Amino acid sequence: MSKEPEDPESEIIKQMFDEIVKMIHQKQIKLESIVQRTIEYGTMRQETFDRIYRLLTDYGKSKQWI
């Protein structure tokens, strides 16, 4: 049984998420700055924002930050 391939946007989001988490841990950037910039520049669709928010929330819960 073949597994359906993930959509390309999912892979990009995962890579972005990993890089964002790394930068936050290294205190190079704050999460608030990332969100503010994406909103200001209109570089993100609402669906993409919702997916990233969900990923970050789940990650925060797994680390017991939330």
Side-chain angles (χ1 to χ4, degrees), residues 7-17:
D7 64 284
E9 189 177 65
S10 290
E11 186 59 34
I12 292 169
I13 290 173
K14 286 178 186 176
Q15 291 171 1
M16 288 173 56
F17 176 76

Side-chain angles (χ1 to χ4, degrees), residues 18-34 37:
D18 291 340
E19 189 62 28
I20 289 168
V21 170
K22 182 175 124 185
M23 291 173 72
I24 291 169
H25 278 286
Q26 295 173 350
K27 300 192 186 300
Q28 293 176 357
I29 192 165
K30 292 183 178 181
L31 182 57
E32 293 87 358
S33 299
I34 296 167
R37 288 180 187 169

Side-chain angles (χ1 to χ4, degrees), residues 31-45:
L31 182 57
E32 293 87 358
S33 299
I34 296 167
V35 173
Q36 182 180 5
R37 288 180 187 169
T38 58
I39 291 170
E40 285 174 358
Y41 296 121
T43 57
M44 184 182 301
R45 295 183 317 202

